[in-house]
Amino acid sequence: MNNPNQQPNILFIMSDDHASHAMSCYGSKINKTPNLDRIAINGMRFDNCFCTNSICTPSRAAILTGTYNHINEVTTLDTHMDNRLQTFPKLLQENGYQTGMFGKWHLGQGPNHCPTGFDDWAVLPGQGLYHNPDFIFKDDTVPGGRRETVRGYVTDLITDFSLDWLKNRDTNKPFCLMYHHKAPHREWEPDEKHAHMYLNEDIPEPVTLYDDYTNRASAAKAAEMRVGVHMRTTDLKVEINHEIPEMELRKWAYQRYIKDYLRVVASIDDNVGRVLDYLEEAGLSENTLIIYTSDQGFFLGDHGWYDKRFMYEESLRMPFIVSYPKEIKAGSVNKDMILNVDFAPLFLDLAGVPIPETMQGHSIRPLLKQNTPEDWRDAMYYRYWMHKSHHNVYAHYGLRTHKYKLIYYYADALGQAGAIDETYEPEWELFDLETDPHELNNIYHDIQYADVVKGLTDRLHYMQKDVGDERYYKDVA
Ligand code: CA
Protein backbone atom coordinates (compact mmCIF):
# COMPACT_ATOMS: atom_id res chain seq x y z
CA MET A 1 0.00 0.00 0.00
CA ASN A 2 2.84 2.38 0.79
CA ASN A 3 4.70 1.96 -2.48
CA PRO A 4 5.27 5.49 -3.80
CA ASN A 5 4.98 4.17 -7.33
CA GLN A 6 1.43 3.11 -6.63
CA GLN A 7 0.10 5.93 -4.51
CA PRO A 8 -0.19 9.18 -6.47
CA ASN A 9 0.99 12.49 -5.13
CA ILE A 10 -1.77 14.97 -4.47
CA LEU A 11 -1.45 18.69 -5.06
CA PHE A 12 -4.62 20.41 -3.94
CA ILE A 13 -4.59 24.07 -4.98
CA MET A 14 -7.42 26.14 -3.59
CA SER A 15 -7.99 29.86 -3.79
CA ASP A 16 -10.54 31.88 -1.88
CA ASP A 17 -13.60 33.28 -3.69
CA HIS A 18 -12.33 32.64 -7.21
CA ALA A 19 -15.36 32.18 -9.44
CA SER A 20 -15.00 29.97 -12.49
CA HIS A 21 -16.27 32.75 -14.78
CA ALA A 22 -12.94 34.48 -14.12
CA MET A 23 -10.92 31.60 -15.59
CA SER A 24 -10.28 31.39 -19.32
CA CYS A 25 -10.61 27.58 -19.37
CA TYR A 26 -14.24 28.18 -18.31
CA GLY A 27 -14.76 30.69 -21.10
CA SER A 28 -14.20 33.86 -19.09
CA LYS A 29 -15.13 37.03 -20.97
CA ILE A 30 -13.11 39.19 -18.62
CA ASN A 31 -9.62 37.71 -18.17
CA LYS A 32 -7.05 35.10 -19.15
CA THR A 33 -5.56 32.50 -16.82
CA PRO A 34 -3.00 30.67 -18.96
CA ASN A 35 -1.38 28.76 -16.12
CA LEU A 36 -4.57 27.55 -14.50
CA ASP A 37 -5.71 26.55 -17.97
CA ARG A 38 -2.72 24.20 -18.21
CA ILE A 39 -4.43 21.94 -15.66
CA ALA A 40 -7.63 21.84 -17.73
CA ILE A 41 -5.73 21.31 -20.98
CA ASN A 42 -3.82 18.39 -19.46
CA GLY A 43 -6.83 17.02 -17.63
CA MET A 44 -10.54 17.45 -17.01
CA ARG A 45 -12.79 20.44 -16.42
CA PHE A 46 -15.85 19.91 -14.25
CA ASP A 47 -18.69 22.25 -15.18
CA ASN A 48 -21.04 21.37 -12.34
CA CYS A 49 -19.01 21.32 -9.16
CA PHE A 50 -21.00 22.84 -6.29
CA CYS A 51 -20.38 23.77 -2.68
CA THR A 52 -22.83 22.66 -0.01
CA ASN A 53 -22.65 26.02 1.84
CA SER A 54 -21.19 29.01 0.01
CA ILE A 55 -18.87 30.53 2.57
CA CYS A 56 -15.20 30.09 3.48
CA THR A 57 -15.00 28.24 6.79
CA PRO A 58 -17.86 25.77 6.24
CA SER A 59 -16.72 24.84 2.73
CA ARG A 60 -13.21 24.15 3.99
CA ALA A 61 -14.56 21.89 6.73
CA ALA A 62 -16.69 20.01 4.16
CA ILE A 63 -13.61 19.50 1.98
CA LEU A 64 -11.40 18.19 4.80
CA THR A 65 -13.98 15.93 6.44
CA GLY A 66 -16.12 14.83 3.49
CA THR A 67 -19.22 15.71 5.52
CA TYR A 68 -21.98 18.33 5.40
CA ASN A 69 -21.89 21.23 7.85
CA HIS A 70 -24.74 20.01 10.04
CA ILE A 71 -22.57 16.92 10.67
CA ASN A 72 -19.15 18.59 11.13
CA GLU A 73 -20.84 21.48 13.00
CA VAL A 74 -18.94 24.14 11.03
CA THR A 75 -22.09 25.93 9.88
CA THR A 76 -20.93 29.58 9.89
CA LEU A 77 -17.76 31.69 10.04
CA ASP A 78 -18.01 31.67 13.83
CA THR A 79 -18.13 27.91 14.32
CA HIS A 80 -14.49 26.86 14.16
CA MET A 81 -13.57 23.31 13.29
CA ASP A 82 -12.72 20.89 16.09
CA ASN A 83 -9.34 19.65 14.89
CA ARG A 84 -9.98 16.18 16.35
CA LEU A 85 -12.42 15.48 13.50
CA GLN A 86 -11.43 12.80 11.02
CA THR A 87 -9.99 14.35 7.84
CA PHE A 88 -8.42 13.02 4.67
CA PRO A 89 -4.94 14.48 5.43
CA LYS A 90 -4.89 12.54 8.72
CA LEU A 91 -5.80 9.31 6.95
CA LEU A 92 -3.22 9.90 4.22
CA GLN A 93 -0.57 10.67 6.83
CA GLU A 94 -1.39 7.42 8.64
CA ASN A 95 -1.04 5.58 5.36
CA GLY A 96 2.42 6.63 4.29
CA TYR A 97 1.92 10.13 2.90
CA GLN A 98 3.86 13.19 3.89
CA THR A 99 1.40 16.01 4.26
CA GLY A 100 1.73 19.80 4.14
CA MET A 101 -0.66 22.74 4.39
CA PHE A 102 0.33 26.29 3.43
CA GLY A 103 -1.76 29.43 3.16
CA LYS A 104 -5.30 30.18 4.15
CA TRP A 105 -6.78 27.79 6.73
CA HIS A 106 -9.65 29.84 8.21
CA LEU A 107 -10.99 27.04 10.39
CA GLY A 108 -9.96 28.65 13.66
CA GLN A 109 -6.76 29.15 15.59
CA GLY A 110 -5.13 27.85 18.75
CA PRO A 111 -4.49 24.30 19.95
CA ASN A 112 -8.07 23.09 19.30
CA HIS A 113 -8.49 24.52 15.81
CA CYS A 114 -5.03 24.74 14.23
CA PRO A 115 -4.17 22.33 11.39
CA THR A 116 -3.74 18.68 12.41
CA GLY A 117 -2.72 15.74 10.26
CA PHE A 118 0.11 17.68 8.59
CA ASP A 119 3.84 17.08 8.87
CA ASP A 120 4.34 20.78 8.34
CA TRP A 121 2.11 23.81 7.97
CA ALA A 122 2.12 27.60 7.93
CA VAL A 123 -1.23 29.37 7.84
CA LEU A 124 -2.62 32.86 7.85
CA PRO A 125 -4.43 33.93 11.02
CA GLY A 126 -8.10 34.36 10.03
CA GLN A 127 -8.38 36.08 6.65
CA GLY A 128 -4.76 37.20 6.67
CA LEU A 129 -3.29 40.23 4.93
CA TYR A 130 -2.19 40.71 1.33
CA HIS A 131 0.96 42.66 2.16
CA ASN A 132 3.54 41.69 4.80
CA PRO A 133 1.18 39.19 6.42
CA ASP A 134 1.50 37.36 9.72
CA PHE A 135 1.68 33.59 9.46
CA ILE A 136 1.28 30.97 12.14
CA PHE A 137 3.97 28.35 11.76
CA LYS A 138 3.86 24.80 13.07
CA ASP A 139 6.09 24.70 16.13
CA ASP A 140 6.06 21.69 18.43
CA THR A 141 7.11 23.90 21.37
CA VAL A 142 4.18 26.33 20.95
CA PRO A 143 0.65 24.85 21.18
CA GLY A 144 -1.37 26.18 18.25
CA GLY A 145 1.78 27.40 16.46
CA ARG A 146 4.14 30.36 16.44
CA ARG A 147 3.05 33.68 14.95
CA GLU A 148 5.45 35.73 12.89
CA THR A 149 5.26 38.55 10.35
CA VAL A 150 6.76 37.83 6.93
CA ARG A 151 7.63 40.54 4.44
CA GLY A 152 6.26 40.17 0.93
CA TYR A 153 3.04 39.60 -1.02
CA VAL A 154 0.82 36.87 0.31
CA THR A 155 0.33 34.93 -2.95
CA ASP A 156 4.10 34.83 -3.58
CA LEU A 157 4.84 33.83 0.01
CA ILE A 158 2.35 30.95 0.12
CA THR A 159 3.88 29.70 -3.13
CA ASP A 160 7.42 30.03 -1.76
CA PHE A 161 6.50 28.01 1.35
CA SER A 162 4.84 25.34 -0.78
CA LEU A 163 7.77 25.08 -3.19
CA ASP A 164 10.29 24.92 -0.34
CA TRP A 165 8.33 22.10 1.24
CA LEU A 166 8.12 20.21 -2.07
CA LYS A 167 11.83 20.63 -2.75
CA ASN A 168 12.82 19.43 0.73
CA ARG A 169 10.38 16.53 0.96
CA ASP A 170 11.29 12.88 1.46
CA THR A 171 11.26 11.56 -2.10
CA ASN A 172 10.64 8.02 -0.85
CA LYS A 173 7.13 8.90 0.18
CA PRO A 174 4.13 10.18 -1.76
CA PHE A 175 3.02 13.67 -0.83
CA CYS A 176 -0.24 15.48 -0.26
CA LEU A 177 0.14 19.24 -0.36
CA MET A 178 -2.65 21.68 0.34
CA TYR A 179 -1.60 24.94 -1.29
CA HIS A 180 -4.25 27.49 -0.33
CA HIS A 181 -4.32 31.06 -1.55
CA LYS A 182 -5.94 33.90 0.34
CA ALA A 183 -6.53 35.67 -2.95
CA PRO A 184 -8.80 36.79 -4.51
CA HIS A 185 -10.73 37.40 -1.28
CA ARG A 186 -11.98 40.89 -0.46
CA GLU A 187 -10.40 43.49 -0.23
CA TRP A 188 -8.62 42.63 -3.49
CA GLU A 189 -5.21 44.25 -3.04
CA PRO A 190 -2.96 43.67 -6.06
CA ASP A 191 0.82 43.50 -5.92
CA GLU A 192 3.11 45.94 -7.79
CA LYS A 193 3.61 43.52 -10.65
CA HIS A 194 -0.08 43.39 -11.59
CA ALA A 195 -1.30 46.78 -10.35
CA HIS A 196 -1.22 48.33 -13.82
CA MET A 197 -3.20 45.71 -15.72
CA TYR A 198 -6.45 46.87 -17.39
CA LEU A 199 -5.64 50.57 -16.86
CA ASN A 200 -6.83 51.77 -20.24
CA GLU A 201 -9.70 49.43 -20.93
CA ASP A 202 -13.19 48.65 -19.74
CA ILE A 203 -13.95 45.16 -18.49
CA PRO A 204 -17.15 43.72 -20.03
CA GLU A 205 -20.15 43.93 -17.71
CA PRO A 206 -22.14 40.84 -16.69
CA VAL A 207 -25.67 40.70 -18.17
CA THR A 208 -27.30 40.99 -14.74
CA LEU A 209 -25.20 43.91 -13.44
CA TYR A 210 -28.24 46.20 -13.30
CA ASP A 211 -30.56 43.68 -11.65
CA ASP A 212 -33.33 45.37 -9.65
CA TYR A 213 -34.38 42.16 -7.81
CA THR A 214 -37.97 42.11 -9.02
CA ASN A 215 -39.66 38.71 -9.49
CA ARG A 216 -37.63 37.20 -6.65
CA ALA A 217 -38.25 36.43 -2.99
CA SER A 218 -37.51 39.44 -0.78
CA ALA A 219 -34.10 38.00 0.22
CA ALA A 220 -32.46 39.21 -3.00
CA LYS A 221 -33.49 42.83 -2.49
CA ALA A 222 -32.59 42.71 1.21
CA ALA A 223 -29.02 41.51 0.62
CA GLU A 224 -26.41 44.17 1.32
CA MET A 225 -23.73 43.22 -1.15
CA ARG A 226 -24.41 45.50 -4.08
CA VAL A 227 -21.41 46.74 -6.00
CA GLY A 228 -21.01 50.42 -5.11
CA VAL A 229 -23.76 51.03 -2.58
CA HIS A 230 -22.58 48.43 -0.07
CA MET A 231 -18.86 48.85 -0.61
CA ARG A 232 -16.30 50.63 1.53
CA THR A 233 -13.38 52.90 0.71
CA THR A 234 -11.05 49.97 1.41
CA ASP A 235 -12.82 47.93 -1.28
CA LEU A 236 -12.39 50.51 -4.04
CA LYS A 237 -9.32 52.32 -2.65
CA VAL A 238 -10.99 55.65 -3.26
CA GLU A 239 -13.70 57.70 -1.58
CA ILE A 240 -17.19 56.57 -2.72
CA ASN A 241 -19.71 59.28 -3.52
CA HIS A 242 -22.96 57.84 -2.23
CA GLU A 243 -24.94 60.79 -3.64
CA ILE A 244 -24.64 59.31 -7.14
CA PRO A 245 -27.77 57.39 -8.29
CA GLU A 246 -27.39 53.69 -7.52
CA MET A 247 -27.11 52.29 -11.05
CA GLU A 248 -24.63 54.96 -12.11
CA LEU A 249 -22.55 54.24 -9.01
CA ARG A 250 -22.78 50.51 -9.72
CA LYS A 251 -21.46 50.98 -13.26
CA TRP A 252 -18.45 52.94 -12.03
CA ALA A 253 -17.73 50.80 -8.98
CA TYR A 254 -17.91 47.58 -11.01
CA GLN A 255 -14.89 48.65 -13.08
CA ARG A 256 -12.82 49.50 -10.02
CA TYR A 257 -13.85 46.34 -8.20
CA ILE A 258 -13.43 43.87 -11.02
CA LYS A 259 -10.07 45.22 -12.15
CA ASP A 260 -8.56 44.72 -8.70
CA TYR A 261 -10.17 41.29 -8.45
CA LEU A 262 -8.64 40.26 -11.78
CA ARG A 263 -5.21 41.71 -10.90
CA VAL A 264 -5.20 39.61 -7.76
CA VAL A 265 -6.24 36.55 -9.80
CA ALA A 266 -3.36 37.24 -12.24
CA SER A 267 -0.89 36.80 -9.38
CA ILE A 268 -2.45 33.45 -8.48
CA ASP A 269 -2.11 32.40 -12.10
CA ASP A 270 1.58 33.35 -12.23
CA ASN A 271 2.32 31.59 -8.97
CA VAL A 272 0.45 28.40 -9.84
CA GLY A 273 2.55 28.43 -13.01
CA ARG A 274 5.72 28.37 -10.88
CA VAL A 275 4.49 25.27 -9.05
CA LEU A 276 3.40 23.51 -12.25
CA ASP A 277 6.82 24.27 -13.75
CA TYR A 278 8.51 22.73 -10.74
CA LEU A 279 6.42 19.55 -10.99
CA GLU A 280 7.30 19.25 -14.68
CA GLU A 281 11.01 19.84 -14.10
CA ALA A 282 11.03 17.33 -11.24
CA GLY A 283 9.26 14.71 -13.37
CA LEU A 284 6.27 14.67 -11.04
CA SER A 285 3.47 15.61 -13.45
CA GLU A 286 2.60 12.03 -14.41
CA ASN A 287 2.09 10.63 -10.94
CA THR A 288 0.54 13.70 -9.33
CA LEU A 289 -3.15 14.46 -9.11
CA ILE A 290 -3.30 18.24 -9.53
CA ILE A 291 -6.47 20.07 -8.64
CA TYR A 292 -7.36 23.73 -8.82
CA THR A 293 -10.53 24.84 -7.10
CA SER A 294 -11.90 27.57 -4.84
CA ASP A 295 -13.88 27.29 -1.61
CA GLN A 296 -16.97 28.62 -3.41
CA GLY A 297 -17.95 30.85 -6.29
CA PHE A 298 -18.44 34.62 -6.26
CA PHE A 299 -20.65 37.29 -7.76
CA LEU A 300 -18.52 39.25 -10.22
CA GLY A 301 -21.09 42.01 -10.54
CA ASP A 302 -23.67 39.32 -11.38
CA HIS A 303 -27.04 40.45 -9.97
CA GLY A 304 -25.25 43.71 -9.20
CA TRP A 305 -23.38 41.94 -6.39
CA TYR A 306 -20.00 41.02 -5.02
CA ASP A 307 -19.66 38.28 -2.34
CA LYS A 308 -21.33 34.84 -2.26
CA ARG A 309 -23.64 33.03 0.30
CA PHE A 310 -26.70 32.66 -1.94
CA MET A 311 -27.58 29.37 -3.59
CA TYR A 312 -27.63 31.23 -6.93
CA GLU A 313 -25.39 29.83 -9.65
CA GLU A 314 -22.40 32.19 -9.55
CA SER A 315 -21.95 31.64 -5.83
CA LEU A 316 -22.86 27.94 -5.71
CA ARG A 317 -20.53 26.84 -8.49
CA MET A 318 -16.89 26.05 -7.69
CA PRO A 319 -14.20 25.89 -10.34
CA PHE A 320 -12.78 22.37 -10.43
CA ILE A 321 -10.10 21.36 -12.88
CA VAL A 322 -7.95 18.29 -12.38
CA SER A 323 -5.07 16.62 -14.15
CA TYR A 324 -3.74 13.11 -13.60
CA PRO A 325 -2.46 11.67 -16.87
CA LYS A 326 -2.61 8.09 -15.60
CA GLU A 327 -6.39 8.17 -15.40
CA ILE A 328 -7.66 11.34 -17.08
CA LYS A 329 -7.85 12.04 -20.79
CA ALA A 330 -6.34 15.42 -21.62
CA GLY A 331 -8.81 18.15 -22.51
CA SER A 332 -11.90 16.33 -21.27
CA VAL A 333 -15.01 18.00 -19.85
CA ASN A 334 -17.49 16.58 -17.35
CA LYS A 335 -21.05 17.81 -16.73
CA ASP A 336 -21.94 15.52 -13.82
CA MET A 337 -22.81 17.04 -10.49
CA ILE A 338 -19.96 16.89 -7.99
CA LEU A 339 -19.69 18.47 -4.53
CA ASN A 340 -17.03 19.67 -2.12
CA VAL A 341 -17.83 16.68 0.14
CA ASP A 342 -16.65 14.41 -2.71
CA PHE A 343 -13.03 15.59 -2.60
CA ALA A 344 -11.91 13.67 0.52
CA PRO A 345 -13.31 10.34 -0.72
CA LEU A 346 -11.52 10.84 -4.06
CA PHE A 347 -8.12 11.35 -2.42
CA LEU A 348 -8.54 8.30 -0.19
CA ASP A 349 -9.75 6.21 -3.13
CA LEU A 350 -6.68 7.13 -5.20
CA ALA A 351 -4.35 6.44 -2.27
CA GLY A 352 -5.89 3.03 -1.68
CA VAL A 353 -7.08 4.05 1.78
CA PRO A 354 -10.54 2.81 2.87
CA ILE A 355 -13.12 5.64 2.87
CA PRO A 356 -14.71 5.93 6.34
CA GLU A 357 -18.45 5.31 6.30
CA THR A 358 -18.92 8.61 8.10
CA MET A 359 -17.81 10.49 4.96
CA GLN A 360 -20.90 11.56 3.03
CA GLY A 361 -19.40 12.38 -0.35
CA HIS A 362 -18.56 9.94 -3.12
CA SER A 363 -15.27 9.40 -4.90
CA ILE A 364 -15.38 10.92 -8.38
CA ARG A 365 -12.66 8.57 -9.60
CA PRO A 366 -15.01 6.78 -12.05
CA LEU A 367 -15.94 10.21 -13.47
CA LEU A 368 -12.27 11.00 -14.07
CA LYS A 369 -12.09 7.82 -16.14
CA GLN A 370 -15.22 8.90 -18.06
CA ASN A 371 -17.16 6.06 -16.55
CA THR A 372 -19.90 7.78 -14.55
CA PRO A 373 -21.98 5.26 -12.56
CA GLU A 374 -25.61 5.06 -13.70
CA ASP A 375 -26.84 5.97 -10.25
CA TRP A 376 -24.61 9.03 -9.87
CA ARG A 377 -26.44 11.93 -8.17
CA ASP A 378 -28.69 14.13 -10.28
CA ALA A 379 -29.60 16.51 -7.46
CA MET A 380 -27.75 18.25 -4.66
CA TYR A 381 -28.61 19.71 -1.26
CA TYR A 382 -27.46 23.12 -0.08
CA ARG A 383 -27.75 25.07 3.16
CA TYR A 384 -26.62 28.54 4.22
CA TRP A 385 -26.92 29.05 7.97
CA MET A 386 -25.37 32.44 8.70
CA HIS A 387 -28.67 34.32 8.80
CA LYS A 388 -28.29 38.07 8.14
CA SER A 389 -24.68 38.29 9.27
CA HIS A 390 -22.24 40.46 7.29
CA HIS A 391 -24.39 41.02 4.18
CA ASN A 392 -27.96 40.57 5.40
CA VAL A 393 -28.40 37.32 3.48
CA TYR A 394 -31.26 35.22 4.85
CA ALA A 395 -30.67 31.65 5.96
CA HIS A 396 -31.88 29.19 3.34
CA TYR A 397 -31.70 25.67 2.06
CA GLY A 398 -32.56 24.14 -1.26
CA LEU A 399 -32.29 21.54 -3.95
CA ARG A 400 -30.68 21.83 -7.37
CA THR A 401 -31.27 19.38 -10.16
CA HIS A 402 -29.85 19.73 -13.67
CA LYS A 403 -33.01 21.60 -14.68
CA TYR A 404 -34.49 23.25 -11.58
CA LYS A 405 -33.49 25.01 -8.42
CA LEU A 406 -35.79 25.16 -5.42
CA ILE A 407 -34.80 27.52 -2.57
CA TYR A 408 -36.49 27.88 0.81
CA TYR A 409 -35.56 31.00 2.79
CA TYR A 410 -36.45 29.97 6.32
CA ALA A 411 -34.90 33.26 7.47
CA ASP A 412 -34.14 32.26 11.04
CA ALA A 413 -30.86 32.10 13.01
CA LEU A 414 -31.95 28.91 14.81
CA GLY A 415 -29.39 29.67 17.51
CA GLN A 416 -26.38 29.33 15.19
CA ALA A 417 -23.27 31.15 16.36
CA GLY A 418 -22.56 33.99 13.95
CA ALA A 419 -26.18 34.31 12.79
CA ILE A 420 -28.42 37.24 13.77
CA ASP A 421 -31.52 36.39 15.76
CA GLU A 422 -34.24 38.18 13.76
CA THR A 423 -36.84 36.00 12.11
CA TYR A 424 -38.84 36.74 8.95
CA GLU A 425 -41.70 35.03 7.20
CA PRO A 426 -40.25 32.17 5.11
CA GLU A 427 -40.35 32.36 1.30
CA TRP A 428 -39.76 29.99 -1.61
CA GLU A 429 -38.11 30.39 -4.99
CA LEU A 430 -38.14 28.11 -8.00
CA PHE A 431 -36.04 28.69 -11.12
CA ASP A 432 -36.05 26.87 -14.42
CA LEU A 433 -32.31 26.82 -15.14
CA GLU A 434 -32.82 25.89 -18.78
CA THR A 435 -35.13 28.75 -19.72
CA ASP A 436 -33.88 31.19 -17.07
CA PRO A 437 -30.16 30.49 -16.53
CA HIS A 438 -29.61 33.85 -14.82
CA GLU A 439 -32.31 33.13 -12.23
CA LEU A 440 -34.30 36.31 -12.71
CA ASN A 441 -37.81 34.91 -12.61
CA ASN A 442 -39.16 33.07 -9.59
CA ILE A 443 -41.84 30.65 -10.86
CA TYR A 444 -42.65 29.08 -7.52
CA HIS A 445 -46.15 30.59 -7.45
CA ASP A 446 -46.88 29.94 -11.15
CA ILE A 447 -49.77 27.47 -11.28
CA GLN A 448 -48.22 25.74 -14.30
CA TYR A 449 -45.40 24.56 -12.09
CA ALA A 450 -47.54 23.26 -9.23
CA ASP A 451 -46.63 19.65 -9.91
CA VAL A 452 -42.95 20.49 -10.31
CA VAL A 453 -43.02 22.31 -6.98
CA LYS A 454 -44.69 19.36 -5.30
CA GLY A 455 -42.21 16.86 -6.70
CA LEU A 456 -39.14 18.95 -5.91
CA THR A 457 -40.30 19.80 -2.39
CA ASP A 458 -40.77 16.13 -1.68
CA ARG A 459 -37.33 15.43 -3.10
CA LEU A 460 -35.77 18.21 -1.04
CA HIS A 461 -37.17 16.70 2.16
CA TYR A 462 -36.10 13.23 1.15
CA MET A 463 -32.57 14.42 0.44
CA GLN A 464 -32.44 16.43 3.64
CA LYS A 465 -33.25 13.28 5.57
CA ASP A 466 -30.75 11.34 3.53
CA VAL A 467 -27.85 13.59 4.55
CA GLY A 468 -29.05 13.74 8.16
CA ASP A 469 -30.25 17.35 8.24
CA GLU A 470 -33.50 18.66 9.68
CA ARG A 471 -36.41 20.55 8.16
CA TYR A 472 -37.40 23.96 9.38
CA TYR A 473 -40.59 23.63 11.39
CA LYS A 474 -42.70 25.81 9.07
CA ASP A 475 -41.49 24.03 5.95
CA VAL A 476 -44.60 22.19 4.78
CA ALA A 477 -45.30 21.11 1.23
CA1 CA B 1 -14.20 31.95 0.40
Side-chain angles (χ1 to χ4, degrees):
M1 182 183 272
N2 293 339
N3 181 346
N5 295 321
Q6 297 300 321
Q7 289 178 304
N9 302 307
I10 296 166
L11 171 62
F12 182 76
I13 314 170
M14 181 158 73
S15 54
D16 193 335
D17 295 359
H18 188 184
S20 55
H21 49 311
M23 288 169 67
S24 34
C25 56
Y26 279 98
S28 169
K29 295 180 175 69
I30 56 176
N31 70 333
K32 295 265 183 276
T33 48
N35 287 298
L36 302 181
D37 293 0
R38 285 160 67 182
I39 301 170
I41 290 164
N42 292 329
M44 184 176 268
R45 186 189 83 208
F46 280 83
D47 284 355
N48 289 309
C49 179
F50 302 120
C51 59
T52 49
N53 182 357
S54 182
I55 193 163
C56 305
T57 307
S59 182
R60 287 153 197 271
I63 288 167
L64 284 166
T65 62
T67 61
Y68 288 80
N69 296 132
H70 55 273
I71 300 292
N72 59 48
E73 299 182 331
V74 186
T75 50
T76 73
L77 293 180
D78 289 21
T79 52
H80 295 159
M81 191 175 81
D82 183 330
N83 61 13
R84 293 170 297 186
L85 288 179
Q86 185 62 281
T87 63
F88 78 81
K90 286 185 190 175
L91 289 165
L92 293 178
Q93 193 184 39
E94 286 165 15
N95 284 274
Y97 273 77
Q98 55 197 317
T99 54
M101 157 75 227
F102 298 97
K104 184 162 173 187
W105 174 246
H106 206 199
L107 287 158
Q109 288 159 229
N112 301 333
H113 306 292
C114 69
T116 47
F118 299 99
D119 299 326
D120 197 9
W121 51 267
V123 298
L124 296 162
Q127 297 286 1
L129 298 176
Y130 274 101
H131 295 278
N132 304 324
D134 277 8
F135 279 91
I136 302 171
F137 292 90
K138 180 172 186 275
D139 184 335
D140 294 335
T141 67
V142 186
R146 168 179 46 88
R147 188 165 171 153
E148 207 176 289
T149 306
V150 186
R151 291 199 66 78
Y153 186 64
V154 72
T155 308
D156 298 334
L157 293 171
I158 292 167
T159 307
D160 293 344
F161 295 160
S162 298
L163 281 171
D164 283 348
W165 185 81
L166 281 173
K167 287 172 185 170
N168 293 306
R169 76 190 193 283
D170 176 356
T171 53
N172 293 311
K173 283 179 164 184
F175 68 81
C176 171
L177 170 62
M178 300 186 81
Y179 162 43
H180 287 191
H181 286 296
K182 168 205 169 54
H185 194 279
R186 192 184 185 191
E187 295 157 327
W188 320 294
E189 292 175 17
D191 61 352
E192 265 305 300
K193 186 179 168 193
H194 302 92
H196 304 289
M197 294 174 80
Y198 311 111
L199 272 186
N200 297 312
E201 57 185 295
D202 279 346
I203 306 294
E205 295 176 349
V207 293
T208 57
L209 180 62
Y210 303 104
D211 194 354
D212 61 3
Y213 318 107
T214 50
N215 306 318
R216 244 71 46 82
S218 58
K221 198 162 206 157
E224 293 172 1
M225 47 199 235
R226 296 185 203 164
V227 171
V229 169
H230 298 122
M231 281 176 157
R232 297 189 288 247
T233 308
T234 44
D235 292 323
L236 299 182
K237 292 89 183 172
V238 68
E239 211 59 53
I240 302 169
N241 179 0
H242 287 284
E243 303 294 309
I244 297 174
E246 175 166 0
M247 293 306 177
E248 210 177 299
L249 180 65
R250 198 181 290 183
K251 184 180 184 64
W252 168 82
Y254 167 74
Q255 291 297 329
R256 286 201 68 92
Y257 151 55
I258 203 67
K259 285 180 182 181
D260 271 348
Y261 182 94
L262 297 178
R263 289 163 183 149
V264 164
V265 166
S267 171
I268 297 178
D269 189 70
D270 282 2
N271 276 291
V272 168
R274 289 170 61 204
V275 176
L276 297 180
D277 288 347
Y278 167 76
L279 293 181
E280 278 171 23
E281 286 157 19
L284 292 165
S285 299
E286 281 294 305
N287 197 37
T288 302
L289 176 90
I290 305 171
I291 286 171
Y292 181 84
T293 186
S294 178
D295 55 352
Q296 8 70 205
F298 211 69
F299 295 107
L300 305 178
D302 313 283
H303 296 291
W305 288 333
Y306 65 100
D307 212 70
K308 56 259 184 179
R309 298 161 202 270
F310 274 95
M311 196 188 168
Y312 295 146
E313 290 295 272
E314 297 85 355
S315 153
L316 180 68
R317 177 169 283 114
M318 305 164 80
F320 191 91
I321 48 177
V322 50
S323 69
Y324 182 44
K326 280 189 175 169
E327 297 194 4
I328 303 173
K329 188 168 167 270
S332 46
V333 174
N334 181 295
K335 305 268 184 203
D336 298 316
M337 228 180 249
I338 69 167
L339 307 176
N340 52 1
V341 290
D342 296 334
F343 302 176
L346 169 67
F347 302 144
L348 297 176
D349 185 359
L350 281 164
V353 177
I355 301 164
E357 287 202 359
T358 48
M359 286 194 177
Q360 296 176 294
H362 302 287
S363 168
I364 63 165
R365 193 171 183 184
L367 281 58
L368 301 182
K369 296 193 239 187
Q370 299 190 311
N371 192 18
T372 304
E374 280 201 6
D375 61 350
W376 189 256
R377 76 168 68 83
D378 59 359
M380 58 85 58
Y381 176 65
Y382 178 88
R383 184 161 189 169
Y384 175 74
W385 304 74
M386 205 168 168
H387 183 56
K388 282 181 68 74
S389 266
H390 296 206
H391 293 278
N392 206 40
V393 176
Y394 299 168
H396 57 288
Y397 54 68
L399 178 91
R400 188 198 190 281
T401 67
H402 285 289
K403 181 170 169 56
Y404 291 109
K405 187 182 292 175
L406 179 71
I407 306 177
Y408 179 64
Y409 297 93
Y410 60 93
D412 192 324
L414 296 177
Q416 295 296 310
I420 293 174
D421 192 16
E422 258 176 55
T423 305
Y424 304 117
E425 197 52 40
E427 287 178 278
W428 291 91
E429 280 180 336
L430 174 69
F431 298 103
D432 181 332
L433 300 172
E434 283 171 10
T435 60
D436 179 24
H438 299 299
E439 301 166 295
L440 295 170
N441 190 25
N442 175 18
I443 50 174
Y444 184 84
H445 300 287
D446 184 333
I447 194 75
Q448 287 182 54
Y449 289 90
D451 286 346
V452 172
V453 164
K454 201 159 175 279
L456 288 175
T457 310
D458 185 54
R459 195 146 183 218
L460 167 67
H461 294 149
Y462 185 88
M463 188 164 260
Q464 206 162 28
K465 212 164 193 177
D466 205 44
V467 299
D469 199 9
E470 286 172 12
R471 284 166 61 172
Y472 185 65
Y473 71 101
K474 285 184 184 167
D475 172 7
V476 285

